[in-house]
Amino acid sequence: TTPVREWSRRCATVGAVKGAVIGLGLVIAAYMAEAVRGGLQAIPEGQHEAATALGLGYWRATAFIILPQALRIALPAITNEFIALIKNTTLVLIVSILDLLGIAQAALADPNWVGMNKEAYAFAGLLYWIGCFGLSRFAFALEQKRAKAEKH
């Protein structure tokens, strides 16, 4: 068999869970990379020059001067991506993996839950809201802390 056929055979045997994790991971990684790239572009050229003037090489300047500033700038976008990741987990229902809404639907199939559709979906929505709101408040607190540190 050729290497291409072997590779395609292996890809075809990836399970639903692995496929969903790999796909969602690649999408989120691309968005995170874009957020960090935007943060890196927002760093003034003077920061690079200052690091060089201090005698720092490329890797040390990037690790200790450039990247920390870029991540602080990109923090709101990174937080938005984590919130989107939480919301996008419902997309894995397409490949028959149970997520929070899938669990609510499975519970509604139980005879003890007949007629409680609104309650099940309201509870699932409340859990999503708590997770997303908590992350957004955490990000807001980090931004406030950053703004306070920049004033001093």
Side-chain angles (χ1 to χ4, degrees):
T1 102
T2 66
V4 173
R5 285 188 184 175
E6 179 65 23
W7 181 79
S8 64
R9 183 186 63 77
R10 287 184 188 207
C11 289
T13 61
V14 172
V17 174
K18 288 180 186 175
V21 169
I22 290 169
L24 202 53
L26 289 173
V27 168
I28 292 299
Y31 281 116
M32 288 291 184
E34 185 63 24
V36 173
R37 185 197 61 77
L40 287 169
Q41 284 186 331
I43 302 296
E45 186 61 36
Q47 296 296 317
H48 298 280
E49 294 168 1
T52 304
L54 290 173
L56 296 176
Y58 174 79
W59 294 108
R60 285 188 180 215
T62 300
F64 298 120
I65 307 259
I66 307 302
L67 202 53
Q69 293 179 57
L71 291 177
R72 268 191 234 114
I73 292 169
L75 182 64
I78 290 171
T79 304
N80 285 341
E81 290 309 317
F82 276 116
I83 291 171
L85 175 64
I86 290 173
K87 293 190 286 186
N88 286 339
T89 57
T90 57
L91 296 176
V92 299
L93 185 61
I94 294 170
V95 290
S96 302
I97 301 170
L98 290 180
D99 69 325
L100 184 58
L101 282 179
I103 291 170
Q105 289 174 345
L108 290 173
D110 185 353
N112 294 329
W113 282 72
V114 171
M116 301 181 98
N117 294 3
K118 291 179 185 175
E119 291 86 352
Y121 289 125
F123 181 70
L126 178 67
L127 288 180
Y128 275 119
W129 185 83
I130 288 171
C132 293
F133 183 74
L135 271 174
S136 67
R137 297 310 299 169
F138 175 70
F140 181 73
L142 286 177
E143 288 178 39
Q144 293 297 319
K145 185 177 176 183
R146 184 188 95 192
K148 192 176 193 182
E150 287 178 359
K151 287 183 181 177
H152 292 99

